[in-house]
Amino acid sequence: MHAGTLGRHAVVDLWGSVVRGTHPILRLLPELNAVGPGDLTAALLAALEPAIGAIDVRLLIADMEEQHLDVRAELQTSPGSIHGSADMDGSVQGEVYQTGGARSANLDGQPTIVAPVTARGDRAGVIEVRVKDEPSDQALRICEEVGVLLGYLITAADQWTDEFHFARRRRPMSLPAEIQWSQLPLAVFSSREIAIAGALEPAYEVGGDSFDYACGMSAMAAGIFDAMGHGLTAARLSAFGVATYRNARRRGDDLEGQARAIHEAVRDCFEREGYMTGQVWSIDLLAPENTTVVCAGHPHPILQHRSTTPEPRPLRGGLPFGVPFDNVLHAEPFPLEPGDRLTMFSDGILDATPDDGDEFGMESLYSVLAETRSAPPREATRRIIQAVRQHRAADLVDDATVLIVDIPAAGRRGR
């Protein structure tokens, strides 16, 4: 049963416990603020045992490629794991991760609540809570709320511990990929006005691709970039370009000013060493029809206009950022409407090719976009990258990046 099935009286009772200070979430806050990562699940168990009859807690973290949910010994309360890590496909844990809804299950003969660990739509993994008896709707709701609290804690913890980085990685990461991942925003952000999600592949080797976004009071700034070449030089170029983009945004430059700043900084600092393609966007949150974009030699975006059918939307555009001469980069209108889905991608998506085979290509991308139209942006990006990886059947030769933006239907918008 999903926690969303809670009745009106149960919701009132739950809110009353929050007001009285008896809700386990309120008791957890000071505890989690004080413990280190090794004591995290013990603190959760101490709070959830009297609240819902919890007898064991495990935290499973999604790996970098979102194919597995892995457990570190330090992230479970029982030294001997009751069951191993879970595959993303074909498991209860994977289903909860992909759908974002808590559910109860019988795991190894014990009633268990599995809830997503998420913050602003960014999914870190799932939490498993074994309980003495069949869980109630309220118990599921409490575990969902604990999952949100954990999501924010893990997001903040990445600034002061490496433990969750260890949990995500199944093999060593290259230095260029470390540079790129360290500067990315959350993989997902969602609000009533907009949802955005990005994904990069290959996760452990990526160097030249990147994306960035920032949600403001009235607009969402978003950018996608693909630096020339591979390895450390491409990573340096991409990181420098994204830092310049952020600097221009934060000093109040308009969209064309941001694009000029990126072009001039990359051109002057890297000279003939490299350039990068990209797009920078200003998406109006309250009037998406006023959205504008500057395109610098990057593949054209795809729009799904209130339907599953993907439509390419050519942009006038200019030359890549950093070419060694003057570059005319104009902002152009790109009207969006409630219910639209916008997809941006790098050429590594289309160019992925197995040995002696055909490239992934636009038609394959259209097919996955149509199949995932009803999925949240985060799940859609995961499945696109998964499809590219499976098509290639080996490590990608070029980086592949996708960035998806949803404009919620009119009935879900507003402040």
Side-chain angles (χ1 to χ4, degrees):
M1 185 179 297
H2 190 285
T5 61
L6 272 176
R8 177 176 180 273
H9 294 296
V11 173
V12 171
D13 290 343
L14 196 63
W15 177 244
S17 69
V18 171
V19 173
R20 293 190 299 272
T22 60
H23 193 282
I25 292 289
L26 293 183
R27 293 198 299 271
L28 263 175
L29 284 172
E31 290 294 325
L32 295 182
N33 193 48
V35 301
D39 296 320
L40 180 60
T41 51
L44 292 171
L45 181 59
L48 293 175
E49 180 180 9
I52 62 173
I55 59 176
D56 188 32
V57 174
R58 295 201 323 160
L59 180 59
L60 289 81
I61 302 297
D63 74 315
M64 297 291 295
E65 296 175 316
E66 294 187 282
Q67 297 187 78
H68 307 277
L69 290 154
D70 291 328
V71 176
R72 283 169 59 81
E74 297 83 0
L75 299 180
Q76 57 184 353
T77 50
S78 297
S81 176
I82 57 170
H83 45 275
S85 301
D87 289 334
M88 194 64 71
D89 296 319
S91 69
V92 173
Q93 298 90 340
E95 178 187 338
V96 168
Y97 180 87
Q98 293 175 44
T99 63
R103 58 164 294 185
S104 61
N106 190 297
L107 299 180
D108 294 342
Q110 190 69 44
T112 305
I113 298 171
V114 185
V117 175
T118 179
R120 283 289 185 179
D122 187 31
R123 304 173 299 190
V126 300
I127 182 175
E128 289 180 6
V129 183
R130 288 202 298 162
V131 291
K132 297 175 183 176
D133 304 304
E134 288 299 321
S136 65
D137 288 346
Q138 183 168 337
L140 266 71
R141 175 65 176 268
I142 287 173
C143 288
E144 276 198 330
E145 292 173 340
V146 168
V148 173
L149 181 61
L150 277 175
Y152 279 96
L153 181 145
I154 290 171
T155 299
D158 278 345
Q159 303 301 313
W160 55 264
T161 182
D162 286 337
E163 292 302 321
F164 297 106
H165 292 286
F166 292 142
R168 296 183 189 105
R169 300 181 187 190
R170 298 174 69 89
R171 59 186 177 92
M173 178 176 288
S174 71
L175 177 58
E178 192 76 55
I179 292 171
Q180 291 303 83
W181 282 105
S182 67
Q183 70 162 7
L184 288 176
L186 287 177
V188 184
F189 172 87
S190 63
S191 69
R192 286 175 295 184
E193 292 85 9
I194 199 166
I196 187 169
L200 282 73
E201 176 71 16
Y204 297 93
E205 300 293 338
V206 66
D209 281 14
S210 192
F211 64 86
D212 193 37
Y213 66 82
C215 185
M217 297 293 185
S218 59
M220 167 73 81
I224 184 170
F225 307 96
D226 182 358
M228 181 187 78
H230 303 281
L232 193 56
T233 297
R236 288 174 51 241
L237 173 57
S238 179
F240 181 78
V242 171
T244 304
Y245 174 47
R246 290 175 177 171
N247 179 252
R249 284 196 329 249
R250 293 167 183 173
R251 71 184 178 217
D253 289 5
D254 62 16
L255 198 62
E256 290 186 355
Q258 295 166 22
R260 282 196 303 272
I262 299 169
H263 170 65
E264 292 170 2
V266 171
R267 181 193 61 191
D268 295 346
C269 291
F270 282 79
E271 296 180 340
R272 297 182 183 276
E273 189 178 356
Y275 59 84
M276 67 180 191
T277 68
Q279 292 168 8
V280 290
W281 294 76
S282 178
I283 303 169
D284 195 305
L285 297 177
L286 300 181
E289 64 273 14
N290 294 330
T291 293
T292 52
V293 58
V294 174
C295 182
H298 201 74
H300 300 306
I302 296 171
L303 184 66
Q304 287 166 284
H305 181 59
R306 294 188 180 183
S307 70
T308 61
T309 305
E311 304 173 10
R313 290 297 177 97
L315 299 174
R316 182 172 70 248
L319 297 172
F321 298 119
V323 291
F325 35 82
D326 290 337
N327 192 3
V328 179
L329 294 165
H330 289 304
E332 52 187 297
F334 197 99
L336 295 173
E337 296 182 11
D340 283 355
R341 168 166 288 185
L342 172 68
T343 300
M344 297 156 267
F345 56 94
S346 67
D347 57 11
I349 294 282
L350 305 182
D351 295 345
T353 307
D355 295 338
D356 301 321
D358 297 325
E359 63 184 19
F360 187 74
M362 191 67 81
E363 290 304 316
S364 295
L365 179 57
Y366 287 165
S367 177
V368 182
L369 286 173
E371 291 170 2
T372 58
R373 181 62 176 94
S374 61
R378 175 63 160 170
E379 180 61 15
T381 61
R382 187 188 77 86
R383 288 166 62 180
I384 290 168
I385 292 296
Q386 184 181 46
V388 171
R389 187 189 299 120
Q390 290 174 347
H391 177 82
R392 169 61 181 156
D395 291 339
L396 295 184
V397 176
D398 192 12
D399 301 341
T401 303
V402 60
L403 188 63
I404 291 180
V405 175
D406 270 3
I407 307 298
R412 296 168 50 200
R413 296 173 57 79
R415 294 187 184 277

